[in-house]
Amino acid sequence: MEDSTLDNREANFPEYSILGKELTTFILQAGFVEGIVEDSKVFQDLNEAYQHIFRNNKEYAIILWNGIPIRLSYIEDIPHMVEALIEFLDAIQHKKNTSFRVATENNQWQLDATIIQHDLTIQSNFSQLSGNYQSAFETVSLLKMEANEFLNEWKLLLEQLVTAMDRSGCTLTTKKGHESLERLRKLTNSIQK
């Protein structure tokens, strides 16, 4: 039988770049949030609160960045990035150029966002990912999409954060903590779908 597979050298297009709505993707699949216990504990900020609230959760949220998955742990990643995420998404919603830096035990990366009218361009730098496959992003580091579509992808995760805080009965003791939670609620409510 004859080998019908293509020679990989023929399929190599070094001039090809991923640009444009139809060629780039950002999808966020939130995990199933489990184990929320109503214990009405008190914390200073969202970071501490979510570490406690999600302590029993074994699920992951998955980001698909131009088709490549990034796993976010509800225990080890999301609590440590929630306040910076609120800042990042709020800036995008208000059409401001911004950056989002994630530095957790599993993941270290930075997203630099630029907005022109309604178009969002994000340049990423994935320096460490759980599984050590950050080099896979070198050729797909750029993301271009409509800003509201990007925000829409975060809606379910943001709703989970708000709901988890409400169901846990946890309260925040600092002014910064109260302001962050209020911004989270406002951001969640302002994203339409």
Side-chain angles (χ1 to χ4, degrees):
M1 179 174 255
E2 192 174 312
D3 182 9
S4 63
T5 58
L6 290 175
D7 181 350
N8 285 339
R9 288 174 290 170
E10 293 176 16
N12 185 12
F13 301 103
E15 71 281 356
Y16 177 76
S17 65
I18 296 180
L19 293 174
K21 179 179 177 180
E22 62 281 344
L23 297 175
T24 63
T25 57
F26 178 86
I27 299 169
L28 190 142
Q29 177 64 53
F32 176 73
V33 175
E34 58 188 344
I36 305 298
V37 176
E38 184 177 353
D39 56 8
S40 303
K41 296 223 177 213
V42 177
F43 300 96
Q44 289 188 359
D45 57 30
L46 290 178
N47 179 327
E48 289 179 3
Y50 285 122
Q51 285 180 60
H52 174 74
I53 292 168
F54 293 137
R55 70 192 179 281
N56 298 321
N57 196 305
K58 306 292 187 245
E59 289 284 325
Y60 294 90
I62 305 294
I63 291 174
L64 282 177
W65 183 277
N66 290 324
I68 302 174
I70 302 167
R71 186 172 76 168
L72 299 174
S73 165
Y74 279 83
I75 298 170
E76 299 169 342
D77 296 314
I78 293 173
H80 302 285
M81 60 186 265
V82 69
E83 291 190 18
L85 177 64
I86 294 166
E87 295 285 331
F88 180 66
L89 297 177
D90 188 59
I92 289 173
Q93 189 174 52
H94 290 95
K95 309 286 189 250
K96 297 178 185 173
N97 296 343
T98 186
S99 293
F100 177 41
R101 185 166 185 54
V102 172
T104 69
E105 187 175 320
N106 299 322
N107 296 296
Q108 293 183 15
W109 34 276
Q110 181 165 327
L111 307 179
D112 296 312
T114 306
I115 299 178
I116 299 175
Q117 295 178 344
H118 300 291
D119 296 323
L120 174 67
T121 302
I122 300 178
Q123 181 64 49
S124 65
N125 178 7
F126 296 98
S127 55
Q128 177 188 330
L129 294 170
S130 178
N132 199 30
Y133 62 100
Q134 55 274 3
S135 62
F137 291 88
E138 290 174 6
T139 58
V140 292
S141 62
L142 188 66
L143 181 77
K144 286 189 161 220
M145 64 189 303
E146 202 268 327
N148 284 334
E149 288 179 19
F150 180 80
L151 292 169
N152 291 344
E153 287 297 321
W154 293 96
K155 175 79 171 182
L156 182 56
L157 179 64
L158 297 176
E159 285 178 338
Q160 286 179 337
L161 294 171
V162 170
T163 302
M165 182 65 77
D166 292 343
R167 287 190 181 161
S168 72
C170 291
T171 55
L172 304 172
T173 60
T174 64
K175 181 179 178 183
K176 181 184 176 198
H178 284 286
E179 289 173 353
S180 294
L181 182 57
E182 186 56 36
R183 288 181 74 194
L184 172 62
R185 290 182 193 281
K186 185 177 177 183
L187 178 64
T188 304
N189 291 333
S190 66
I191 297 174
Q192 297 303 310
K193 55 182 177 177

